[in-house]
Amino acid sequence: MDLHDLLQENGSKLVLCVLDGLGGAATAEQPTELEAAESPNLDRLAVEGITGMVEPLGAGITVGSGPGHLALFGYDPQQFELGRGTLSAAGLGITLTPGDVAARGNLCTLDDDGLITDRRAGRPDAEEGERLTQKLREGVRLDGAEAEFHHVAEHRVLLVLRGEGLDPRLADTDPQETGVPPLEVRPLAEEAESTAELVTELVRQVREALAGERGNGLVLRGFDTSHELPDFTERYGVRAATVAAYPMYRGVASLVGMDVLGAPHSLDEQVTLLREHWDDYDYFFWHHKATDSAGHDGDREAKIAAVEAFDGVVPDLVELAPDVIVVSGDHASPAQFSGHSWHPVPTLLRGGSAGVDEVERFGERWCRGGALGLRPTTALMPLMLAAAGRLAKYGA
Amino acid sequence: MDLHDLLQENGSKLVLCVLDGLGGAATAEQPTELEAAESPNLDRLAVEGITGMVEPLGAGITVGSGPGHLALFGYDPQQFELGRGTLSAAGLGITLTPGDVAARGNLCTLDDDGLITDRRAGRPDAEEGERLTQKLREGVRLDGAEAEFHHVAEHRVLLVLRGEGLDPRLADTDPQETGVPPLEVRPLAEEAESTAELVTELVRQVREALAGERGNGLVLRGFDTSHELPDFTERYGVRAATVAAYPMYRGVASLVGMDVLGAPHSLDEQVTLLREHWDDYDYFFWHHKATDSAGHDGDREAKIAAVEAFDGVVPDLVELAPDVIVVSGDHASPAQFSGHSWHPVPTLLRGGSAGVDEVERFGERWCRGGALGLRPTTALMPLMLAAAGRLAKYGA
């Protein structure tokens, strides 16, 4: 059975709301952030629709944003792997061609012994970050490959290597701690040895170029090359657009061929953008970052507030009268763990033929008993299409 | 995504408690044995953790102990097949090498017409069983293969054939009923024809060797050869040990490379063994047989008592302060069926990052609503590792 053979166009509108890192983990002491939030509008969607729990990559597996979003888009994250370099490049609108190697770089502060003393080089502002990046552009010259540097934000830069015979199979050089030197550039396959030598030389030149700066070192993560992902519109028969304030999420959306509508940070501006483009698309991916950021910061109250902030614009979304709304997350980010976790993510599907279940509140303990059950996240895309009446019957 | 790539060591301790045949099947007249049991300590673990139901090999499939345990260890039982012969050999500490053929033999009583009158030959005691086995050793001489006999327990013996050109693809000769003769030795593949002839001759010699004894016949089950199973420690990064009173369970554990700590029959001695070796291992597989034995015997009250007996030592386990405890079973053995069944098995996961759900009792009707949902048994191993903090994030 090929989903593509079942597609039928009917003019319906679908919206996927991703509250990044939405899932939590209740403890004996406290409910999850979503359970604790006052979110009457999300609760109303739960009443009007069906609910459940989803797992992006199976039992016990904690995923990053890349695989989490691919799963939400209905792409098996085991089949389509994305490195941080690829995601960053896509987020900046930089096209990688086959053979290129991209990596996410973090400017850091090194002491006289070469040990990392600040993993974020004092979080340079946009101007300072761009100035340091410009120094890299001017100071690094490699034999056999061209090195491009792009400033992403704060201490984060994107490195793109273009040339012949490059291989992305290199280990991260970011030790992710202070008091130690950056890791050696280590090839993970024999074919990547010459690329490892090239990057070793690059890192050396970076230190020369940035000598005396607060950001005087560069650690690299997520070496990757270009990936061909099946086109979302071809795959699902919907014209798709993205509203996301953060580059990485615009990146993963553009990698599957979605249009990127803009990058406003305020939820109200995001709704305005949806409204302006409402007639131009069939499917909208709306990304809300604040839930995950608060989770990473270990700030339970901020995560609750981020849920409540999104709840506040749900009536504006409903007013646009989408046929089908899904609210879910790419993974869990319980504040008590200050990072991603493996816990299933509460999810609702409202509208079209979805029907209702008995769940009256949006939150883990209620959604567990909902009509969607516990499913792989990849099931949401066919469920959305089905609820919207966009899937024909299979077989006689 | 390879689970192995995500492993991280953190010194945590994991315990898998297998109450063999734990699952039951409620009827209109009565709850399951576990639901009926007074098990306050297991209930407390359910309160403190999350619960659900697991299936060893998918919907409707009743499994034996081998596949049931492989699933609990996270090995797909479809991928790794184990015959009874292999399990028995492993349980006795007998190493099979590639090319060997092993089978489980049951001594039986045959009448003058060659019909089975007692499938267990009066259940000989250890001494009598060993005496009969010695007669087999002395009385059987084959052309082209060496036949080893090992007494297992009561009427059960292990047959190991070693030689050139042997093939384990033979059907069981045990008709599993009385009043009929043992089945002919039947090859299941052309390549196994000469082995079938060899075993036919062996069975003939066995009858001569045991003539006049109460155990005067031998029926054979589970012909199999050696299997290479991936090493548990290599696979999951934990040093693993087993506490199991029955050879078959020690066998399946040793086949995946777990250490076997000993074989005491009393639960108190088993706890003592855990305590003595607590610092030496990261993962303990603790096997409790009595639930299944009672299920096989169709003895509902005994199965309830077997649950309650295990419940009695749960506080001792908790006192050892494992980071993560799983309580589950390899399959269901409802007493009303006097054997294994396909019903899902109630399961709890407590500790680490597992969190809590709203389930307050350990039993099928409560676990069904728990946070673990209904899952394949193979999901328990990644969930245990995840809860223990032993799995890194996948993807950027």
Side-chain angles (χ1 to χ4, degrees):
Chain A
M1 198 271 305
D2 186 344
L3 198 70
H4 190 266
D5 296 337
L6 307 181
L7 294 176
Q8 53 192 15
E9 170 57 40
N10 66 359
S12 55
K13 300 276 189 199
L14 295 73
V15 180
L16 170 69
C17 305
V18 177
L19 276 62
D20 201 302
L22 177 63
T27 65
E29 290 72 37
Q30 61 187 18
T32 69
E33 297 89 348
L34 180 59
E35 289 169 350
E38 289 283 328
S39 49
N41 299 304
L42 289 168
D43 291 345
R44 183 183 311 262
L45 293 183
V47 168
E48 295 171 352
I50 58 178
T51 62
M53 303 295 287
V54 296
E55 285 180 333
L57 197 52
I61 306 302
T62 299
V63 300
S65 298
H69 278 83
L70 285 184
L72 286 164
F73 300 159
Y75 293 64
D76 179 359
Q78 299 248 44
Q79 187 183 349
F80 304 103
E81 295 189 27
L82 290 180
R84 197 172 283 268
T86 307
L87 288 170
S88 291
L92 292 173
I94 290 157
T95 305
L96 298 181
T97 51
D100 294 348
V101 167
R104 239 281 294 281
N106 288 340
L107 293 166
C108 59
T109 309
L110 302 175
D111 66 14
D112 293 344
D113 298 324
L115 307 183
I116 299 171
T117 56
D118 181 347
R119 292 184 53 226
R120 298 180 181 86
R123 290 196 189 265
D125 64 16
E127 191 181 337
E128 172 73 356
E130 182 52 46
R131 186 182 67 78
L132 293 172
T133 306
Q134 185 58 28
K135 276 198 149 182
L136 293 177
R137 287 182 196 121
E138 289 163 5
V140 174
R141 286 292 173 275
L142 296 177
D143 226 24
E146 185 194 346
E148 278 178 25
F149 294 93
H150 303 270
H151 186 233
V152 179
E154 300 181 329
H155 57 293
R156 299 195 293 277
V157 298
L158 169 71
L159 164 67
V160 180
L161 293 172
R162 308 196 197 250
E164 295 296 313
L166 296 173
D167 193 302
R169 286 172 285 179
L170 303 179
D172 292 353
T173 73
D174 187 349
Q176 304 211 32
E177 53 182 323
T178 56
V180 297
L183 302 173
E184 303 268 303
V185 183
R186 189 164 54 85
L188 300 172
E190 211 174 298
E191 300 89 324
E193 280 176 11
S194 64
T195 310
E197 287 168 23
L198 211 63
V199 176
T200 301
E201 170 61 15
L202 177 141
V203 169
R204 196 191 60 75
Q205 292 186 22
V206 164
R207 291 200 54 182
E208 283 185 9
L210 298 180
E213 300 285 355
R214 180 162 181 188
N216 61 349
L218 184 71
V219 288
L220 295 158
R221 297 166 68 178
F223 288 92
D224 199 8
T225 185
S226 71
H227 290 277
E228 282 287 322
L229 290 172
D231 183 73
F232 191 85
T233 298
E234 164 63 25
R235 196 171 160 99
Y236 299 122
V238 290
R239 295 164 300 164
T242 307
V243 175
Y246 279 67
M248 193 171 182
Y249 311 98
R250 297 197 298 271
V252 66
S254 64
L255 280 174
V256 299
M258 292 187 199
D259 285 354
V260 174
L261 297 184
H265 270 265
S266 97
L267 282 162
D268 287 333
E269 288 174 272
Q270 291 173 2
V271 170
T272 301
L273 208 54
L274 283 176
R275 193 179 296 119
E276 284 171 8
H277 292 276
W278 192 248
D279 293 338
D280 306 332
Y281 296 95
D282 310 300
Y283 172 102
F284 296 87
F285 155 47
W286 185 7
H287 183 264
H288 180 54
K289 176 70 178 170
T291 31
D292 185 55
S293 304
H296 277 273
D297 292 344
D299 189 339
R300 174 178 171 81
E301 291 310 316
K303 187 170 174 193
I304 293 171
V307 170
E308 294 176 349
F310 190 87
D311 188 75
V313 293
V314 166
D316 298 321
L317 172 63
V318 170
E319 202 177 278
L320 291 170
D323 295 276
V324 172
I325 299 173
V326 161
V327 182
S328 188
D330 52 344
H331 54 74
S333 282
Q336 72 264 33
F337 303 140
S338 298
H340 299 193
S341 81
W342 53 272
H343 299 83
V345 181
T347 297
L348 68 83
L349 169 68
R350 178 261 199 191
S353 62
V356 301
D357 57 21
E358 293 65 49
V359 174
E360 301 195 337
R361 288 193 64 183
F362 191 44
E364 289 80 351
R365 68 184 62 193
W366 306 291
C367 290
R368 273 202 279 278
L372 286 172
L374 171 67
R375 290 175 185 272
T377 302
T378 49
L380 289 178
M381 194 67 216
L383 285 165
M384 280 183 93
L385 293 169
R390 284 178 171 269
L391 293 183
K393 184 171 71 175
Y394 173 77
Chain B
M1 194 272 307
D2 187 343
L3 196 71
H4 190 265
D5 296 337
L6 306 179
L7 295 177
Q8 53 191 15
E9 170 57 40
N10 66 359
S12 55
K13 300 274 187 200
L14 295 71
V15 180
L16 170 68
C17 304
V18 177
L19 276 61
D20 202 302
L22 178 63
T27 65
E29 288 72 37
Q30 62 188 16
T32 70
E33 297 88 348
L34 180 59
E35 289 168 352
E38 288 285 327
S39 50
N41 299 304
L42 289 167
D43 291 346
R44 183 184 312 259
L45 293 183
V47 167
E48 295 170 351
I50 59 178
T51 61
M53 304 293 288
V54 296
E55 287 179 332
L57 197 53
I61 307 301
T62 299
V63 300
S65 298
H69 278 83
L70 285 183
L72 286 164
F73 300 158
Y75 293 64
D76 179 356
Q78 300 248 42
Q79 187 184 347
F80 304 103
E81 295 189 26
L82 289 181
R84 199 171 281 268
T86 307
L87 288 170
S88 291
L92 293 174
I94 290 156
T95 305
L96 299 181
T97 51
D100 294 347
V101 167
R104 240 280 293 281
N106 288 339
L107 293 167
C108 60
T109 307
L110 303 175
D111 66 14
D112 293 344
D113 299 326
L115 306 183
I116 298 171
T117 56
D118 181 347
R119 292 182 55 226
R120 296 179 182 86
R123 289 196 191 265
D125 63 17
E127 191 181 337
E128 172 72 355
E130 182 53 47
R131 187 182 67 79
L132 294 172
T133 306
Q134 185 58 29
K135 276 199 149 183
L136 293 176
R137 288 183 195 120
E138 288 164 5
V140 175
R141 286 292 174 275
L142 297 176
D143 226 24
E146 187 195 344
E148 279 178 25
F149 294 93
H150 303 270
H151 186 232
V152 179
E154 299 181 332
H155 57 292
R156 300 196 293 276
V157 298
L158 169 70
L159 165 67
V160 180
L161 293 173
R162 307 197 197 250
E164 293 296 313
L166 297 173
D167 194 302
R169 285 172 285 178
L170 303 180
D172 292 353
T173 72
D174 186 349
Q176 303 210 31
E177 53 181 323
T178 56
V180 297
L183 301 173
E184 302 270 302
V185 183
R186 189 163 54 83
L188 299 172
E190 211 174 301
E191 300 89 325
E193 280 176 12
S194 63
T195 310
E197 286 168 24
L198 211 62
V199 175
T200 301
E201 170 61 16
L202 176 141
V203 168
R204 196 191 62 73
Q205 291 186 22
V206 164
R207 289 199 55 181
E208 282 184 8
L210 299 180
E213 300 285 354
R214 181 164 180 185
N216 61 349
L218 185 72
V219 289
L220 295 158
R221 298 165 68 178
F223 287 92
D224 199 8
T225 186
S226 71
H227 290 277
E228 282 287 322
L229 288 173
D231 183 73
F232 191 85
T233 297
E234 164 63 24
R235 198 171 159 98
Y236 300 122
V238 289
R239 295 163 301 162
T242 307
V243 175
Y246 280 66
M248 193 171 182
Y249 310 99
R250 297 197 298 270
V252 67
S254 64
L255 280 173
V256 299
M258 292 187 200
D259 285 354
V260 174
L261 297 184
H265 269 264
S266 97
L267 283 162
D268 286 333
E269 286 174 273
Q270 291 173 5
V271 169
T272 301
L273 208 53
L274 283 176
R275 193 179 296 118
E276 284 171 6
H277 293 274
W278 191 248
D279 293 338
D280 305 334
Y281 296 94
D282 310 302
Y283 173 100
F284 296 88
F285 156 46
W286 185 7
H287 183 264
H288 180 53
K289 175 69 179 171
T291 31
D292 185 54
S293 304
H296 277 274
D297 292 344
D299 189 338
R300 174 178 171 81
E301 291 311 315
K303 187 171 174 192
I304 293 171
V307 169
E308 294 176 349
F310 191 86
D311 188 76
V313 293
V314 165
D316 297 320
L317 172 63
V318 170
E319 202 176 277
L320 290 170
D323 294 276
V324 172
I325 299 173
V326 162
V327 181
S328 188
D330 52 345
H331 54 74
S333 282
Q336 71 266 34
F337 302 142
S338 298
H340 299 192
S341 81
W342 53 270
H343 299 81
V345 180
T347 297
L348 67 83
L349 168 68
R350 178 260 202 191
S353 64
V356 302
D357 57 21
E358 292 66 52
V359 174
E360 300 194 337
R361 288 193 62 183
F362 190 44
E364 289 80 349
R365 69 185 62 192
W366 305 291
C367 290
R368 275 199 280 277
L372 285 172
L374 171 66
R375 292 178 184 271
T377 301
T378 48
L380 288 178
M381 195 66 217
L383 285 166
M384 280 183 94
L385 292 169
R390 284 179 172 267
L391 293 182
K393 186 171 70 174
Y394 172 77

